[in-house]
Amino acid sequence: EAQVTQNPRYLITVTGKKLTVTCSQNMNHEYMSWYRQDPGLGLRQIYYSMNVEVTDKGDVPEGYKVSRKEKRNFPLILESPSPNQTSLYFCASRTGTDTSEAFFGQGTRLTVV
Amino acid sequence: ILNVEQSPQSLHVQEGDSTNFTCSFPSSNFYALHWYRWETAKSPEALFVMTLNGDEKKKGRISATLNTKEGYSYLYIKGSQPEDSATYLCASMFSGGYNKLIFGAGTRLAVHP
């Protein structure tokens, strides 16, 4: 079954404690993105990757890091989480052709206290 | 700054009503328009991807139209059912945007039995 798998689904952590949210897709997609969703706002892109070892900042990259060492995996790293990073996070992948639809993971609800 | 606007923000209808909502986007450098359906506690799922002015797409009781010259798309639901209750997201792509999707804040639809 074609899918994007994110883990964990829910996470409560403390300010400053490094964490990683994993994302894996089994569709051989080139393009992967991370978004955050906050009330009243659209999905905002944090980082994206157009292929292995190619990553770039989205609209709200501050406080986040990513890596793309393999095509299927695109982890999101918060080196020192802060309360303003409390949000719902989605990973998504696409084939990379311009009009292809995005496939989303199940979402990770992160709370930083 | 490229902005995608959706209206209304939320909508309550009775079962059997037909409804529609709007996605507005800058018409210059337009490339593609996506619609997604996002049920609570699930992942957003693609409904339509449209690129050409005048495009109309249909999936069951849901259809969408696209006007790229004036920068808007309509999503229609005929004979709404409670299972149509969800947030409907639109996202636009623009030329030179590195395949980036810019999302609107969504329209939250509640269909009451």
Side-chain angles (χ1 to χ4, degrees), chain A residues 2-62:
Chain A
Q3 58 185 8
V4 179
T5 304
Q6 268 179 252
N7 279 297
R9 293 288 307 276
Y10 303 92
L11 181 60
I12 301 174
T13 190
V14 296
T15 299
K17 186 176 180 184
K18 180 179 177 180
L19 67 92
T20 299
V21 184
T22 62
C23 174
S24 181
Q25 51 94 3
N26 63 0
M27 294 167 280
N28 202 36
H29 285 169
E30 289 85 13
Y31 192 91
M32 297 184 76
S33 299
W34 275 103
Y35 297 90
R36 61 178 288 172
Q37 202 278 325
D38 300 292
L41 299 175
L43 291 166
R44 292 182 293 166
Q45 192 181 59
I46 303 169
Y47 266 93
Y48 67 95
S49 168
M50 297 183 81
N51 216 322
V52 176
E53 302 290 4
V54 181
T55 64
D56 209 345
K57 296 177 182 178
D59 297 318
V60 288
E62 294 77 21

Side-chain angles (χ1 to χ4, degrees), chain A residues 80-107:
Chain A
S80 183
S82 62
N84 65 12
Q85 292 178 298
T86 292
S87 189
L88 176 61
Y89 291 87
F90 283 105
C91 176
S93 74
R94 294 166 54 209
T95 62
T97 59
D98 293 336
T99 60
S100 62
E101 66 187 72
F103 291 80
F104 286 86
Q106 311 95 308

Side-chain angles (χ1 to χ4, degrees), chain B residues 61-111:
Chain B
R61 293 179 291 100
I62 304 177
S63 60
T65 61
L66 178 66
N67 183 323
T68 62
K69 294 187 189 309
E70 295 179 46
Y72 64 84
S73 174
Y74 293 139
L75 190 79
Y76 300 92
I77 303 179
K78 186 177 174 183
S80 304
Q81 300 297 309
E83 58 264 30
D84 296 327
S85 298
T87 297
Y88 292 83
L89 302 169
C90 76
S92 196
M93 292 173 66
F94 300 93
S95 304
Y98 300 103
N99 286 351
K100 180 179 171 180
L101 286 168
I102 299 175
F103 282 85
T107 292
R108 181 175 289 183
L109 173 67
V111 182

Side-chain angles (χ1 to χ4, degrees), chain B residues 7-27:
Chain B
S7 62
Q9 195 171 25
S10 66
L11 197 53
H12 292 257
V13 302
Q14 290 299 124
E15 183 175 354
D17 287 350
S18 293
T19 187
N20 64 84
F21 20 95
T22 307
C23 174
S24 302
F25 50 86
S27 55

